[in-house]
Amino acid sequence: MRSPDLRTVVGVVGATALLTSGVNAVAFLFVIESLRLPAASVPTSLVCTAIGTLLAAPVASRLAGRFGGGSVMVGALFALVSGIALLGVVRAPGGAWAAYFVMGLGAGAGNVLSAANRQRLTPRPMMGRVTSAHRALAWGLMPLGEVLAGPLAESRRCAR
């Protein structure tokens, strides 16, 4: 708690978990209802995210070495948010798949860098406790994001 940098890293991870779980809770309904894709095609969105994540993860540390970890972390968060925003405006399946791919790029790079920063900033004797607190926060906020997203999406749908 005494390390502002560590608090920032863990706080960003928690906020990201809250946001992305909320998006994931309702995005598939958007793909089915707004883009009129069959429910059986929803897994293709997850595949696009996975491809983006797999491509970004090994490159993230090299980019951080070249441009600085903070800059790349901000870029990763920007990519994640850009993918979410893109998903909200596309009206074609290809655009939705591209949005999921961009979200995967941001998530993959962000996960690698946040874990590396958390480990670098944590004193060795505190590693287990900090990792546990980090996981409890990130995983604990996911259901909250989902709970908040449902009524928000429903109110938005009713407003149309």
Side-chain angles (χ1 to χ4, degrees), residues 48-71:
C48 291
T49 303
I51 291 169
T53 300
L54 290 172
L55 290 175
V59 179
S61 358
R62 282 183 275 170
L63 289 173
R66 182 170 180 175
F67 300 108
S71 298

Side-chain angles (χ1 to χ4, degrees), residues 83-136:
I84 292 169
L86 179 61
L87 183 62
V89 298
V90 297
R91 295 292 174 249
W97 292 322
Y100 277 104
F101 175 76
V102 171
M103 285 189 272
L105 288 173
N111 284 339
V112 167
L113 295 175
S114 68
N117 284 330
R118 186 184 74 248
Q119 291 172 6
R120 181 179 54 78
L121 294 167
T122 302
R124 192 177 250 337
M126 299 287 295
M127 189 64 74
R129 286 176 271 185
V130 170
T131 300
S132 294
H134 165 264
R135 287 190 180 183

Side-chain angles (χ1 to χ4, degrees), residues 13 15-25 80 84 103 107 142 145-146:
V13 168
T16 303
L18 181 77
L19 173 69
T20 56
S21 66
V23 168
N24 289 335
L80 179 62
I84 292 169
M103 285 189 272
M142 286 179 177
E146 294 162 356

